[in-house]
């Protein structure tokens, strides 16, 4: 997998495989991503998303989890986007 880390605040191209890591107000990190799942049969590509979940304690933990997730979904080129600034904590229902 070819990994392209973007500068903080620069968004990944909307039509490319990517993970996005957002720092939260409490210092933890939220991971989201989307890839075109193309393992095996090239005629059956489908978009797969990773949204929300429990925040990670460190940026490195979030990035490692995102890279592993993208690798499991056969991403060939993956953009890694990082937030510039902190986001409010998500509402818990």
């Amino acid at each position: 997998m070819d990994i392209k880390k973007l500068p903080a605040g620069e968004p990944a191209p909307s039509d490319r495989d990517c993970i996005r890591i957002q720092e939260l107000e409490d210092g933890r990190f939220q991971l989201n991503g989307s890839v075109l799942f193309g393992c095996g049969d090239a005629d059956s590509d489908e978009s797969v998303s990773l949204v929300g979940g429990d925040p990670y304690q460190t940026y490195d933990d979030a990035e490692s989890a995102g890279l592993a997730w993208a690798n499991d979904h056969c991403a060939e080129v993956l953009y890694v986007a990082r937030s510039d600034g902190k986001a409010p904590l998500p509402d818990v229902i």
Side-chain angles (χ1 to χ4, degrees):
M1 178 169 47
D2 182 18
I3 300 167
K4 299 185 180 293
K5 293 187 180 187
L6 300 170
E10 183 176 326
S14 61
D15 61 344
R16 303 305 302 252
D17 294 344
C18 67
I19 58 171
R20 290 170 295 286
I21 302 169
Q22 173 71 57
E23 186 172 3
L24 302 173
E25 287 178 334
D26 67 359
R28 295 181 301 164
F29 295 85
Q30 187 70 54
L31 171 65
N32 294 296
S34 62
V35 298
L36 186 62
F37 181 66
C39 298
D41 185 3
D43 293 334
S44 63
D45 290 348
E46 62 182 68
S47 180
V48 179
S49 296
L50 172 66
V51 180
D54 292 332
Y56 292 86
Q57 294 299 315
T58 68
Y59 175 87
D60 289 339
D61 288 346
E63 182 180 74
S64 293
L67 294 175
W69 174 80
N71 188 58
D72 287 348
H73 291 88
C74 304
E76 292 180 13
V77 177
L78 181 73
Y79 287 82
V80 178
R82 180 179 183 158
S83 65
D84 185 18
K86 297 181 179 184
L89 295 173
D91 292 332
V92 178
I93 297 175

